[in-house]
Amino acid sequence: MNKQLIKSIIGEKQQQISRTRLIQRNEHFDEQSCYVLIGIRRAGKSYTLFQDMQAKVSAGKAVVDDFLYINFEDERIASIHAEELGLILDAYREMYDQKRPYIYLDEIQNITGWERFARRLSEDKHHVMITGSNAKMLSREIASTLGGSYIQRYIYPFSFAEYLAYHGVILERNWAYKPETRQTVLRHFQEYFYYGGFAESFNKSDKREWITSLYQKILMGDIVERNKIRNPRIFRLMARKLADSVMQPTTLTRLEHIIISTGDSISPTVLKDYLDYMEDAYLTFSIPNLVSPLTEQQTIVKRYFADNGILNLFLLNGDTKLLENIVAIHLHKQYRNTAEELRLFYYNKGVEIDFCIPEANLAIQVSYSIDDFNTYEREVGGLTKFLNTFKQYKGIIITWDTERQIANNGVTIDVVPIWKWLLT
C-alpha cells in the first residue's frame, strides 16, 4: 500500500470535517475510552464520528490536524491487508511529526483480520472510534473479538427532537402554549410518525420508496446473505406477522402455527434463529414480562421495530401499532436491555401494563384515544389497579392528542399526547 496515497486520503478527510453540515445529536464520548458504534443500518454511525470530531474542535480540544479518519469503503484503499493497517498510523505520524491522533475507523470490517490492529491501538491508549456494517460485525461478537477493550454505543435513528432540529424548528420556553409553534410541531410529527427517523430520507420526495430500499438491504444483506437463509419467503412472512403482532406478546409456538397455516414448515429452532437474526441486525428489539419466570423472559416477549418508517411498510391503518412502537423506541433509548441487564419490561399478571420501568418507578399505558367508555375503563382501570398494588410507581397514559390529569380510586394518572411526551 502506497503511503503517499494514504497521506492524501488523510488530508482530504480532514478538510471534509469542517465542511460537513451536522445537526447536533445527544451523543457524548469519554476521551479516555474506545468505542464501537452499533445500530441499524443508516442510523447515523458515520455521522456520529464527524459529530465527535466537530465537538472536539468547537470545545478547543483539537484542530482538524489531530484527526486520523479513514473510511474503508474508499475504493482507493480497498486492497489494503490487515498487516498493512499500521501504515496508516505511520503515514499520519510522518505528516505531523509523531503527533498522537484521535483515530476514527469507518466500515473497518471490510478488512479481514482488522481486530488485531484495533486491539493494538487500544492497548497503546489511543482514543479510537470504530463503525462497522451489521452484516459483518454483530454486537454479540464484538466483546469476544476485541477482548472487552471497546465500549459499545448504540446509535439510533433521529429522535423527534433531532428531527425538529434538522428542520430548523427551535422550541422556546412554553412552546406548547403558543398556537403557531404547536401547529408547526404537530405538522412535523405527522411525517415523523409515519416515516421515522432515518435522516437520509428526510428530503426525499418518495420517503416510502427509500425506506423500502433500506429494508431490502437489511433483509438481504444483513440477514439473508449473512446467515445463508435458504427460504427468504418464510423470513419475509415472519417479519410481516411480527409487524401485525407488534402490541402483543409473541411465542415461538404461535409464530410456528402461523407459518404452518400458510403451507410452509419450520422448526422451533430455526424460527428462534430467525428472530435472533432480526435482533442481530437491529431491525427489531424485544422486551420481556416483568413477572415471567426467567426461562419465559427469553421466549414470551413483545417485539418492536427499530423505526416507525420500517414498521409502517407492513401496516394498513396501523396508527395504534405505530403509536405503541414509537413509545417503545423512545423508552428503549433510555432503558435499553442488554445481555447483562434487563431494564425495560411489560407487565402481565392479573392486569396488563404496556411498559414498566422498575428503576424509574414508571408504568405506562399507550392508547390512541381514551374517549370511548370501554377503552377508558380498560386503560384507566388497569393502570389504577397496578398503581394501588405498586404504590411507589407513577402512572402515565400516552395518547394521540389528549392531555389531562385523572384522579381515580386514590391514584393520579397523567394523560399526555405523544408528540409532547417525546419532547419532554
Side-chain angles (χ1 to χ4, degrees), residues 16-58:
Q16 186 180 344
I17 293 167
S18 57
R19 295 174 181 169
T20 302
R21 175 182 173 267
L22 300 176
I23 299 299
Q24 189 66 29
R25 304 193 69 186
N26 189 26
E27 301 289 347
H28 304 282
F29 301 93
D30 178 7
E31 291 186 27
Q32 306 306 313
S33 301
C34 296
Y35 292 88
V36 177
L37 307 187
I38 60 175
I40 191 170
R41 185 188 285 261
R42 313 314 299 172
K45 296 184 286 293
S46 299
Y47 184 108
T48 303
L49 298 185
F50 278 91
Q51 176 180 301
D52 188 66
M53 288 184 270
Q54 287 191 3
K56 285 181 171 61
V57 172
S58 297

Short mmCIF file of all heavy atoms in Angstrom, two decimals, residues 16-58:
data_model
loop_
_atom_site.label_atom_id
_atom_site.label_comp_id
_atom_site.label_asym_id
_atom_site.label_seq_id
_atom_site.Cartn_x
_atom_site.Cartn_y
_atom_site.Cartn_z
N GLN A 16 -12.77 17.56 4.98
CA GLN A 16 -14.20 17.23 4.99
C GLN A 16 -14.83 17.47 6.35
O GLN A 16 -16.02 17.75 6.44
CB GLN A 16 -14.37 15.76 4.57
CG GLN A 16 -15.80 15.32 4.39
CD GLN A 16 -15.89 13.86 3.98
OE1 GLN A 16 -14.92 13.25 3.54
NE2 GLN A 16 -17.07 13.30 4.12
N ILE A 17 -14.03 17.39 7.41
CA ILE A 17 -14.57 17.51 8.78
C ILE A 17 -15.31 18.83 8.97
O ILE A 17 -16.45 18.87 9.43
CB ILE A 17 -13.44 17.38 9.82
CG1 ILE A 17 -12.88 15.95 9.80
CG2 ILE A 17 -13.95 17.72 11.22
CD1 ILE A 17 -11.58 15.80 10.56
N SER A 18 -14.67 19.92 8.62
CA SER A 18 -15.28 21.23 8.85
C SER A 18 -16.38 21.55 7.83
O SER A 18 -17.24 22.38 8.09
CB SER A 18 -14.21 22.32 8.81
OG SER A 18 -13.51 22.29 7.57
N ARG A 19 -16.37 20.87 6.69
CA ARG A 19 -17.35 21.16 5.64
C ARG A 19 -18.66 20.39 5.84
O ARG A 19 -19.67 20.73 5.23
CB ARG A 19 -16.77 20.79 4.27
CG ARG A 19 -15.57 21.64 3.87
CD ARG A 19 -14.97 21.11 2.59
NE ARG A 19 -13.80 21.88 2.17
CZ ARG A 19 -12.97 21.50 1.21
NH1 ARG A 19 -13.19 20.37 0.54
NH2 ARG A 19 -11.94 22.26 0.90
N THR A 20 -18.63 19.36 6.65
CA THR A 20 -19.81 18.52 6.82
C THR A 20 -20.82 19.20 7.72
O THR A 20 -20.52 19.55 8.86
CB THR A 20 -19.42 17.15 7.42
OG1 THR A 20 -18.46 16.52 6.57
CG2 THR A 20 -20.64 16.25 7.56
N ARG A 21 -22.05 19.42 7.20
CA ARG A 21 -23.11 20.06 7.98
C ARG A 21 -23.76 19.02 8.87
O ARG A 21 -24.22 17.98 8.41
CB ARG A 21 -24.14 20.69 7.05
CG ARG A 21 -25.35 21.28 7.78
CD ARG A 21 -26.37 21.84 6.79
NE ARG A 21 -27.59 22.26 7.47
CZ ARG A 21 -28.66 21.48 7.63
NH1 ARG A 21 -28.63 20.24 7.19
NH2 ARG A 21 -29.74 21.93 8.25
N LEU A 22 -23.82 19.32 10.16
CA LEU A 22 -24.38 18.37 11.12
C LEU A 22 -25.44 19.04 11.98
O LEU A 22 -25.35 20.22 12.29
CB LEU A 22 -23.27 17.82 12.04
CG LEU A 22 -22.12 17.06 11.37
CD1 LEU A 22 -21.08 16.69 12.42
CD2 LEU A 22 -22.62 15.81 10.68
N ILE A 23 -26.42 18.24 12.37
CA ILE A 23 -27.37 18.63 13.40
C ILE A 23 -26.89 17.97 14.69
O ILE A 23 -26.65 16.77 14.72
CB ILE A 23 -28.80 18.15 13.06
CG1 ILE A 23 -29.26 18.79 11.75
CG2 ILE A 23 -29.76 18.48 14.20
CD1 ILE A 23 -29.32 20.29 11.78
N GLN A 24 -26.73 18.75 15.74
CA GLN A 24 -26.20 18.21 16.99
C GLN A 24 -27.10 17.12 17.55
O GLN A 24 -28.29 17.34 17.75
CB GLN A 24 -26.04 19.33 18.02
CG GLN A 24 -25.29 18.92 19.27
CD GLN A 24 -23.83 18.57 18.98
OE1 GLN A 24 -23.24 19.10 18.06
NE2 GLN A 24 -23.27 17.68 19.77
N ARG A 25 -26.52 15.96 17.76
CA ARG A 25 -27.25 14.85 18.38
C ARG A 25 -26.74 14.66 19.80
O ARG A 25 -25.62 15.05 20.13
CB ARG A 25 -27.07 13.57 17.58
CG ARG A 25 -27.48 13.68 16.11
CD ARG A 25 -27.58 12.34 15.45
NE ARG A 25 -28.71 11.57 15.97
CZ ARG A 25 -28.96 10.30 15.65
NH1 ARG A 25 -28.13 9.65 14.83
NH2 ARG A 25 -30.00 9.68 16.16
N ASN A 26 -27.56 14.04 20.61
CA ASN A 26 -27.23 13.89 22.02
C ASN A 26 -26.31 12.69 22.25
O ASN A 26 -26.71 11.69 22.86
CB ASN A 26 -28.51 13.76 22.85
CG ASN A 26 -28.23 13.83 24.34
OD1 ASN A 26 -27.24 14.41 24.77
ND2 ASN A 26 -29.10 13.21 25.13
N GLU A 27 -25.11 12.78 21.72
CA GLU A 27 -24.11 11.72 21.88
C GLU A 27 -22.82 12.34 22.40
O GLU A 27 -22.30 13.30 21.81
CB GLU A 27 -23.84 11.00 20.56
CG GLU A 27 -25.05 10.35 19.92
CD GLU A 27 -25.52 9.11 20.67
OE1 GLU A 27 -24.77 8.63 21.54
OE2 GLU A 27 -26.64 8.64 20.39
N HIS A 28 -22.30 11.79 23.49
CA HIS A 28 -21.07 12.30 24.06
C HIS A 28 -20.18 11.11 24.43
O HIS A 28 -20.67 10.06 24.86
CB HIS A 28 -21.36 13.15 25.30
CG HIS A 28 -22.31 14.28 25.03
ND1 HIS A 28 -21.91 15.45 24.42
CD2 HIS A 28 -23.64 14.40 25.26
CE1 HIS A 28 -22.96 16.25 24.30
NE2 HIS A 28 -24.02 15.63 24.79
N PHE A 29 -18.88 11.29 24.28
CA PHE A 29 -17.95 10.18 24.45
C PHE A 29 -16.79 10.57 25.36
O PHE A 29 -16.32 11.71 25.33
CB PHE A 29 -17.40 9.75 23.08
CG PHE A 29 -18.46 9.31 22.12
CD1 PHE A 29 -19.04 10.21 21.23
CD2 PHE A 29 -18.92 8.00 22.11
CE1 PHE A 29 -20.03 9.82 20.35
CE2 PHE A 29 -19.91 7.60 21.24
CZ PHE A 29 -20.47 8.51 20.35
N ASP A 30 -16.35 9.61 26.16
CA ASP A 30 -15.21 9.79 27.05
C ASP A 30 -13.92 9.68 26.24
O ASP A 30 -13.69 8.68 25.55
CB ASP A 30 -15.25 8.71 28.14
CG ASP A 30 -14.07 8.79 29.10
OD1 ASP A 30 -13.28 9.74 29.01
OD2 ASP A 30 -13.95 7.87 29.94
N GLU A 31 -13.07 10.70 26.33
CA GLU A 31 -11.84 10.69 25.55
C GLU A 31 -10.86 9.62 25.99
O GLU A 31 -9.91 9.30 25.26
CB GLU A 31 -11.17 12.07 25.62
CG GLU A 31 -11.93 13.15 24.90
CD GLU A 31 -11.15 14.46 24.87
OE1 GLU A 31 -9.91 14.41 24.92
OE2 GLU A 31 -11.79 15.52 24.81
N GLN A 32 -11.05 9.06 27.15
CA GLN A 32 -10.13 8.03 27.65
C GLN A 32 -10.58 6.62 27.24
O GLN A 32 -9.92 5.64 27.59
CB GLN A 32 -10.03 8.10 29.18
CG GLN A 32 -9.67 9.48 29.72
CD GLN A 32 -8.40 10.03 29.11
OE1 GLN A 32 -7.39 9.32 29.02
NE2 GLN A 32 -8.44 11.29 28.69
N SER A 33 -11.68 6.52 26.52
CA SER A 33 -12.22 5.21 26.16
C SER A 33 -12.24 5.02 24.65
O SER A 33 -12.18 5.98 23.88
CB SER A 33 -13.64 5.05 26.71
OG SER A 33 -13.66 5.19 28.12
N CYS A 34 -12.35 3.75 24.25
CA CYS A 34 -12.50 3.40 22.84
C CYS A 34 -13.93 2.87 22.63
O CYS A 34 -14.49 2.21 23.50
CB CYS A 34 -11.49 2.33 22.44
SG CYS A 34 -9.77 2.87 22.55
N TYR A 35 -14.49 3.15 21.44
CA TYR A 35 -15.89 2.82 21.20
C TYR A 35 -16.06 2.08 19.88
O TYR A 35 -15.36 2.33 18.90
CB TYR A 35 -16.73 4.10 21.14
CG TYR A 35 -16.84 4.82 22.46
CD1 TYR A 35 -15.89 5.76 22.84
CD2 TYR A 35 -17.90 4.56 23.33
CE1 TYR A 35 -15.99 6.43 24.06
CE2 TYR A 35 -18.01 5.23 24.55
CZ TYR A 35 -17.05 6.16 24.90
OH TYR A 35 -17.15 6.81 26.10
N VAL A 36 -17.07 1.18 19.88
CA VAL A 36 -17.60 0.60 18.65
C VAL A 36 -19.06 1.06 18.57
O VAL A 36 -19.84 0.83 19.49
CB VAL A 36 -17.54 -0.93 18.66
CG1 VAL A 36 -18.17 -1.48 17.39
CG2 VAL A 36 -16.11 -1.41 18.77
N LEU A 37 -19.41 1.72 17.47
CA LEU A 37 -20.77 2.20 17.28
C LEU A 37 -21.59 1.13 16.58
O LEU A 37 -21.21 0.64 15.51
CB LEU A 37 -20.77 3.49 16.46
CG LEU A 37 -19.86 4.61 16.98
CD1 LEU A 37 -20.10 5.89 16.17
CD2 LEU A 37 -20.08 4.87 18.46
N ILE A 38 -22.72 0.77 17.20
CA ILE A 38 -23.58 -0.27 16.65
C ILE A 38 -24.98 0.31 16.43
O ILE A 38 -25.30 1.39 16.92
CB ILE A 38 -23.66 -1.49 17.59
CG1 ILE A 38 -24.22 -1.08 18.96
CG2 ILE A 38 -22.28 -2.13 17.76
CD1 ILE A 38 -24.45 -2.22 19.92
N GLY A 39 -25.81 -0.41 15.69
CA GLY A 39 -27.16 0.06 15.44
C GLY A 39 -27.61 -0.31 14.04
O GLY A 39 -26.83 -0.77 13.22
N ILE A 40 -28.89 -0.06 13.76
CA ILE A 40 -29.45 -0.41 12.47
C ILE A 40 -28.75 0.34 11.35
O ILE A 40 -28.25 1.46 11.54
CB ILE A 40 -30.98 -0.13 12.46
CG1 ILE A 40 -31.64 -0.75 11.23
CG2 ILE A 40 -31.26 1.36 12.55
CD1 ILE A 40 -33.15 -0.73 11.29
N ARG A 41 -28.71 -0.26 10.20
CA ARG A 41 -28.09 0.35 9.01
C ARG A 41 -28.69 1.74 8.75
O ARG A 41 -29.90 1.93 8.86
CB ARG A 41 -28.33 -0.57 7.80
CG ARG A 41 -27.65 -0.14 6.52
CD ARG A 41 -28.12 -1.00 5.38
NE ARG A 41 -27.52 -2.34 5.40
CZ ARG A 41 -26.49 -2.71 4.65
NH1 ARG A 41 -25.93 -1.83 3.83
NH2 ARG A 41 -26.03 -3.94 4.72
N ARG A 42 -27.86 2.71 8.42
CA ARG A 42 -28.21 4.09 8.09
C ARG A 42 -28.76 4.89 9.26
O ARG A 42 -29.39 5.94 9.06
CB ARG A 42 -29.23 4.16 6.92
CG ARG A 42 -28.91 3.30 5.71
CD ARG A 42 -27.47 3.38 5.26
NE ARG A 42 -27.08 4.72 4.85
CZ ARG A 42 -25.83 5.08 4.56
NH1 ARG A 42 -24.84 4.18 4.67
NH2 ARG A 42 -25.56 6.29 4.19
N ALA A 43 -28.49 4.43 10.47
CA ALA A 43 -28.95 5.19 11.64
C ALA A 43 -28.12 6.44 11.87
O ALA A 43 -28.56 7.37 12.57
CB ALA A 43 -28.93 4.31 12.89
N GLY A 44 -26.91 6.48 11.34
CA GLY A 44 -26.06 7.66 11.51
C GLY A 44 -24.77 7.39 12.25
O GLY A 44 -24.25 8.28 12.95
N LYS A 45 -24.21 6.21 12.10
CA LYS A 45 -22.97 5.88 12.82
C LYS A 45 -21.79 6.70 12.29
O LYS A 45 -21.01 7.26 13.07
CB LYS A 45 -22.70 4.37 12.73
CG LYS A 45 -23.78 3.53 13.41
CD LYS A 45 -23.47 2.06 13.41
CE LYS A 45 -23.65 1.41 12.06
NZ LYS A 45 -25.07 1.37 11.63
N SER A 46 -21.66 6.78 10.97
CA SER A 46 -20.58 7.60 10.39
C SER A 46 -20.79 9.07 10.72
O SER A 46 -19.83 9.80 11.03
CB SER A 46 -20.53 7.41 8.86
OG SER A 46 -20.26 6.07 8.53
N TYR A 47 -22.02 9.51 10.67
CA TYR A 47 -22.40 10.88 11.05
C TYR A 47 -21.91 11.18 12.46
O TYR A 47 -21.39 12.27 12.75
CB TYR A 47 -23.93 10.95 10.98
CG TYR A 47 -24.58 12.28 11.22
CD1 TYR A 47 -25.15 12.98 10.18
CD2 TYR A 47 -24.70 12.81 12.50
CE1 TYR A 47 -25.81 14.19 10.40
CE2 TYR A 47 -25.34 14.01 12.73
CZ TYR A 47 -25.89 14.70 11.68
OH TYR A 47 -26.53 15.89 11.91
N THR A 48 -22.04 10.20 13.36
CA THR A 48 -21.64 10.40 14.75
C THR A 48 -20.14 10.57 14.89
O THR A 48 -19.66 11.32 15.76
CB THR A 48 -22.13 9.21 15.61
OG1 THR A 48 -23.55 9.09 15.47
CG2 THR A 48 -21.79 9.40 17.08
N LEU A 49 -19.37 9.91 14.04
CA LEU A 49 -17.92 10.12 14.06
C LEU A 49 -17.58 11.57 13.76
O LEU A 49 -16.76 12.19 14.45
CB LEU A 49 -17.23 9.20 13.04
CG LEU A 49 -17.37 7.68 13.23
CD1 LEU A 49 -16.52 6.96 12.18
CD2 LEU A 49 -16.96 7.25 14.63
N PHE A 50 -18.22 12.12 12.72
CA PHE A 50 -17.95 13.52 12.36
C PHE A 50 -18.44 14.47 13.45
O PHE A 50 -17.80 15.49 13.73
CB PHE A 50 -18.61 13.85 11.02
CG PHE A 50 -17.81 13.41 9.83
CD1 PHE A 50 -18.00 12.16 9.27
CD2 PHE A 50 -16.84 14.23 9.30
CE1 PHE A 50 -17.26 11.74 8.19
CE2 PHE A 50 -16.07 13.83 8.21
CZ PHE A 50 -16.29 12.57 7.65
N GLN A 51 -19.55 14.13 14.09
CA GLN A 51 -20.02 14.98 15.18
C GLN A 51 -19.01 15.02 16.31
O GLN A 51 -18.74 16.08 16.89
CB GLN A 51 -21.36 14.46 15.72
CG GLN A 51 -21.84 15.27 16.93
CD GLN A 51 -23.17 14.78 17.47
OE1 GLN A 51 -24.16 14.77 16.75
NE2 GLN A 51 -23.20 14.38 18.73
N ASP A 52 -18.42 13.87 16.64
CA ASP A 52 -17.44 13.83 17.72
C ASP A 52 -16.21 14.68 17.37
O ASP A 52 -15.68 15.39 18.22
CB ASP A 52 -17.02 12.39 18.00
CG ASP A 52 -16.14 12.27 19.24
OD1 ASP A 52 -16.65 12.53 20.35
OD2 ASP A 52 -14.95 11.93 19.10
N MET A 53 -15.78 14.61 16.13
CA MET A 53 -14.63 15.43 15.71
C MET A 53 -14.96 16.92 15.77
O MET A 53 -14.18 17.72 16.29
CB MET A 53 -14.20 15.02 14.29
CG MET A 53 -13.51 13.66 14.22
SD MET A 53 -12.90 13.24 12.57
CE MET A 53 -14.33 12.40 11.88
N GLN A 54 -16.13 17.29 15.27
CA GLN A 54 -16.52 18.71 15.30
C GLN A 54 -16.67 19.21 16.74
O GLN A 54 -16.32 20.35 17.04
CB GLN A 54 -17.82 18.90 14.52
CG GLN A 54 -17.65 18.80 13.03
CD GLN A 54 -18.88 19.25 12.26
OE1 GLN A 54 -19.86 19.69 12.85
NE2 GLN A 54 -18.82 19.14 10.95
N ALA A 55 -17.18 18.35 17.62
CA ALA A 55 -17.35 18.74 19.02
C ALA A 55 -16.00 19.02 19.67
O ALA A 55 -15.86 19.97 20.46
CB ALA A 55 -18.09 17.65 19.78
N LYS A 56 -15.00 18.22 19.36
CA LYS A 56 -13.66 18.44 19.92
C LYS A 56 -13.07 19.76 19.42
O LYS A 56 -12.43 20.48 20.18
CB LYS A 56 -12.75 17.26 19.58
CG LYS A 56 -13.02 15.99 20.38
CD LYS A 56 -12.05 14.88 19.99
CE LYS A 56 -12.16 13.69 20.94
NZ LYS A 56 -13.47 13.05 20.95
N VAL A 57 -13.30 20.06 18.15
CA VAL A 57 -12.80 21.33 17.60
C VAL A 57 -13.52 22.51 18.26
O VAL A 57 -12.89 23.49 18.68
CB VAL A 57 -12.99 21.35 16.07
CG1 VAL A 57 -12.64 22.74 15.52
CG2 VAL A 57 -12.11 20.29 15.41
N SER A 58 -14.84 22.41 18.37
CA SER A 58 -15.63 23.50 18.96
C SER A 58 -15.25 23.76 20.41
O SER A 58 -15.27 24.91 20.87
CB SER A 58 -17.12 23.17 18.88
OG SER A 58 -17.53 23.08 17.54
#
